[in-house]
């Protein structure tokens, strides 16, 4: 399976936000995440970078 | 390997832009893509949606 772990970057550190994420839908100033277990999160953030081979997606908090 | 194929949505249709993409870095109004072969593309677009389990990333052209 090729889901990724989503981290949020805030105060200079990365914090795990949601594991095994399949779907990501960015909006104006939020990002909708849905993992393979159907768990959803909407976070006030934007995508900073993604590295799919290492299963990592980093979001950046919007203050 | 968990890279994805990146498609661009324009004029109502999806067009394959780059295969086997590992890294994605969105900026103001561009998206930088890099695939596992080191090939890079910068496109004037934003991320519309991603479905990692099906290896699909859809960008939306910024006119």
């Amino acid at each position: 399976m090729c889901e990724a772990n989503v981290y949020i970057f805030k105060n200079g550190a990365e914090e795990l936000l949601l594991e095994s994420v399949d779907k990501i839908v960015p909006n104006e100033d939020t990002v909708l995440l849905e993992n393979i277990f159907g768990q959803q999160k909407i976070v006030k953030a934007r995508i900073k970078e993604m590295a799919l081979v290492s299963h990592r997606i980093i979001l950046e908090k919007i203050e």
Side-chain angles (χ1 to χ4, degrees), chain A:
Chain A
M1 293 286 272
C2 283
E3 62 278 5
N5 295 327
V6 175
Y7 301 84
I8 189 145
F9 186 81
K10 55 180 178 184
N11 306 323
E14 290 169 10
E15 187 179 292
L16 182 62
L17 191 68
L18 191 61
E19 282 181 300
S20 303
V21 172
D22 174 21
K23 296 201 171 64
I24 300 112
V25 183
N27 281 302
E28 196 72 14
D29 61 352
T30 59
V31 180
L32 165 69
L33 306 171
E34 187 181 321
N35 71 9
I36 57 168
F37 311 110
Q39 201 183 347
Q40 288 194 339
K41 274 192 184 178
I42 295 175
V43 285
K44 205 172 168 204
R46 68 183 137 243
I47 297 166
K48 188 169 180 276
E49 56 182 80
M50 302 191 273
L52 300 180
V53 173
S54 31
H55 300 255
R56 284 169 57 81
I57 295 176
I58 317 292
L59 305 183
E60 193 164 38
K61 206 167 159 55
I62 297 177
E63 302 298 344

